[in-house]
Amino acid sequence: MAAKATRQQIVDAADELFYARGFAATSFADIAAAVSISRGNFYYHFKTKDEILDAVIEKRLADRERLLAGWDETAPDPARRIECFVRIVIANQTKIMAHGCPVGTLVTELTKLGHASTDNANRIMTLFRDWLTRQFEDLGCGTAARENALHVLSWSQGVATVAQAFGDEAFVRREVERILQWLESVRQQATGNP
Amino acid sequence: MAAKATRQQIVDAADELFYARGFAATSFADIAAAVSISRGNFYYHFKTKDEILDAVIEKRLADRERLLAGWDETAPDPARRIECFVRIVIANQTKIMAHGCPVGTLVTELTKLGHASTDNANRIMTLFRDWLTRQFEDLGCGTAARENALHVLSWSQGVATVAQAFGDEAFVRREVERILQWLESVRQQATGNP
DNA sequence: GACTGATTAGGATGATTGTCCTAGAAAGAC
DNA sequence: GTCTTTCTAGGACAATCATCCTAATCAGTC
C-alpha cells in the first residue's frame, strides 16, 4: 500500500514535470525531489526513464478516457459533447498558456527525439480523434465525421500553441466562440433542426 | 572569408538540427560533426550554446522576413498574399509531417525550458502575426484584422501539429481548402466584390 | 520475538554534456 | 622572409545524467 502510494506519487509528479518542463529536460533527480524520495527508491519502482514515460502516458490516456466517458454520460447530445471538448481550452487556460497542450507538446517532443514511445503517446491523440469522429457521426455528418473531428482537434492544437506564444486570453475566448458558431452551423446542416 | 563560411555552415547545420531534433537534444558534438569541424574550432565562433541559438533565431527571422517581403512584391493583393502564407503548409508538407512547424515547436520548447531566448524566438511568431494583420487591414477588415491574423496563425499551428501526429496528407489539403474558403468569404464581406 | 519479503536510502559508475585552454596551422601585411 | 592576426585542432575540466549496486529499514507472518 505504501508502495502503491509511492508509485502513484512518482507518476503524478512525473506527469506534471513532463508537462511543465518536457520529458527530456526532466531528470530522475527532479522527480525524486518532487516526491521527496531517494533516487535508489526510485529505481525500485521504475528501472528506466522510459518506463516512467510509459506509465505517465497510460495515466494520461486513462484520465482522458474517463473525461470523455463522463461527457458521454452527462451531455445530452453529440453537439454538447463536442462543445465540452472545445471548452477545455478555457477551463485549462492558465496551464495551456504556460505549457501548451499536454498531448500535443508531448507528441511533438517525442517525435523529435525519435523516441520509441512516440506511437504510444499518439494513442491519446487518436483517442480524441476517434471520440470526436463518433460524436460527429452521431450528429449525422456521415463520411464528413472524421474530417470534422480532425478539424476540431487541429483547432485545439493551434489555439494552445498560439495561446502559449502570446498569452492572449481574449484570443482564446474569441476562438472558442468562432468554433462553436461553426459547430452550430454543422449541426443545423446535419440535423435540419434550428 | 573562410571564417564567414564556417560560421555560416555552423548556423545552417544548427538550424536544421534544432528543427529536426530540438534545441536541447542537439549537442555541440552533433553540430560539429555535421559541419566536420572540431569542437575547439566551434568554440572560436560561438562561445556558448545560447549564442548559436540566437544566431539561428536571427537567421530564421531574416529568412521569414525575406519570404514575406517577396510575397508583398509578387502577390497582387492582400488576399493572395495570405493565400501564399496558407499554402506553405503544403509546400513544406514533408518536413512539417516529420518535425512540425519550425517556429511553433521552437517557441514551445524554449518556453518549457524557461530559456532566456524564448522572447527572442517569439519575434518570429510576432512577425507572422503583424504581417498577417497588415494584410487583413489592407483587405479592409479594420479592427477585425488582428483577430483574423491570429486565426490564420493558429490554424497553421494546429495543422502542423496534427499533420506531424498523424502524417495525413489529405487532411492538410482539406484544411487548406477550408481556410481558403473562409478567407474568400472574409474578402467578399470586407470588399463587397464577388 | 525471529524470519522473510517488500521497500527505502545513498553512494558508485560510466557516459555525455557545455565549457575552456593551449598549441599549432594558415594567411595576409610589411 | 618575418610577424601578426585569424583560424583550427584536440584534449582537459567539472557538472550532470541515467543507471546500477549494496546495505539498511520496514511490515507482516509464524
Side-chain angles (χ1 to χ4, degrees):
Chain A
M1 22 234 91
K4 262 293 188 298
T6 303
R7 200 194 133 94
Q8 196 58 46
Q9 273 185 306
I10 291 173
V11 174
D12 290 347
D15 187 11
E16 281 189 26
L17 285 169
F18 287 174
Y19 179 34
R21 305 185 194 175
F23 167 68
T26 302
S27 71
F28 270 62
D30 291 334
I31 306 173
V35 191
S36 297
I37 62 172
S38 66
R39 289 193 319 287
N41 186 3
F42 208 108
Y43 184 71
Y44 174 77
H45 294 282
F46 294 98
K47 272 175 257 305
T48 67
K49 198 181 174 184
D50 292 351
E51 268 186 32
I52 309 173
L53 174 61
D54 285 335
V56 167
I57 292 175
E58 289 309 318
K59 174 187 150 61
R60 292 193 183 178
L61 193 60
D63 286 350
R64 270 67 178 179
E65 275 172 351
R66 205 173 316 120
L67 186 72
L68 298 180
W71 293 339
D72 276 334
E73 284 190 5
T74 57
D77 59 85
R80 299 289 184 87
R81 291 185 200 119
I82 300 168
E83 185 177 342
C84 287
F85 179 88
V86 162
R87 289 198 182 279
I88 48 178
V89 302
I90 289 185
N92 301 337
Q93 197 168 47
T94 306
K95 286 198 167 189
I96 287 176
M97 291 201 307
H99 315 119
C101 169
V103 182
T105 56
L106 181 66
V107 167
T108 297
E109 182 183 6
L110 294 183
T111 301
K112 293 213 181 203
L113 292 176
H115 197 284
S117 293
T118 305
D119 291 347
N120 205 9
N122 243 325
R123 285 164 57 212
I124 313 179
M125 275 287 197
T126 306
L127 174 73
F128 283 149
R129 183 195 62 188
D130 293 349
W131 182 85
L132 284 167
T133 302
R134 221 173 310 128
Q135 305 311 320
F136 279 109
E137 281 170 353
D138 290 354
L139 200 60
C141 290
T143 54
R146 195 188 181 96
E147 182 181 334
N148 288 339
L150 283 173
H151 181 66
V152 171
L153 191 58
S154 169
W155 168 87
S156 72
Q157 294 300 317
V159 169
T161 305
V162 170
Q164 186 186 16
F166 293 127
D168 187 340
E169 292 191 27
F171 157 75
V172 177
R173 268 182 275 119
R174 281 196 314 261
E175 278 295 325
V176 167
E177 288 310 311
R178 218 191 259 261
I179 197 81
L180 288 181
Q181 214 168 321
W182 169 82
L183 180 61
E184 173 61 14
S185 78
V186 168
R187 190 194 63 81
Q188 284 184 11
Q189 195 153 27
T191 64
N193 294 341
Chain B
M1 22 230 90
K4 261 292 188 298
T6 303
R7 199 194 134 94
Q8 196 58 46
Q9 272 186 306
I10 291 174
V11 174
D12 290 347
D15 187 12
E16 281 189 27
L17 285 169
F18 287 174
Y19 179 34
R21 305 185 194 174
F23 167 68
T26 302
S27 70
F28 270 63
D30 291 334
I31 307 174
V35 191
S36 298
I37 61 171
S38 67
R39 289 196 317 285
N41 186 5
F42 207 108
Y43 184 71
Y44 175 77
H45 294 281
F46 294 97
K47 272 175 257 305
T48 68
K49 199 182 176 185
D50 292 352
E51 268 187 33
I52 310 173
L53 174 60
D54 285 336
V56 167
I57 292 175
E58 289 309 319
K59 174 188 150 62
R60 291 193 184 178
L61 193 60
D63 286 352
R64 271 67 176 178
E65 275 172 350
R66 205 174 316 121
L67 187 72
L68 298 180
W71 293 339
D72 276 334
E73 284 190 5
T74 58
D77 59 85
R80 298 289 185 88
R81 290 185 200 119
I82 300 167
E83 185 177 343
C84 286
F85 179 87
V86 163
R87 288 198 183 277
I88 49 177
V89 302
I90 290 185
N92 300 339
Q93 197 167 50
T94 306
K95 285 199 167 187
I96 286 176
M97 291 199 309
H99 315 118
C101 169
V103 181
T105 56
L106 181 66
V107 167
T108 297
E109 182 183 5
L110 295 183
T111 301
K112 293 213 180 205
L113 292 176
H115 197 285
S117 294
T118 305
D119 290 348
N120 204 9
N122 243 325
R123 286 165 56 212
I124 314 179
M125 261 315 181
T126 306
L127 174 73
F128 283 149
R129 184 195 62 187
D130 293 349
W131 182 86
L132 284 167
T133 302
R134 220 173 311 130
Q135 306 311 318
F136 279 108
E137 281 170 354
D138 289 356
L139 200 59
C141 291
T143 55
R146 195 188 180 96
E147 180 181 336
N148 288 339
L150 283 173
H151 182 66
V152 171
L153 190 58
S154 169
W155 169 87
S156 72
Q157 294 299 319
V159 169
T161 305
V162 170
Q164 188 187 14
F166 293 127
D168 187 340
E169 292 190 26
F171 156 76
V172 177
R173 268 182 273 119
R174 281 196 314 261
E175 278 295 324
V176 166
E177 288 310 311
R178 219 190 259 261
I179 197 80
L180 287 181
Q181 216 169 319
W182 169 83
L183 181 61
E184 174 59 16
S185 77
V186 169
R187 190 194 63 79
Q188 284 182 12
Q189 195 152 27
T191 65
N193 294 341

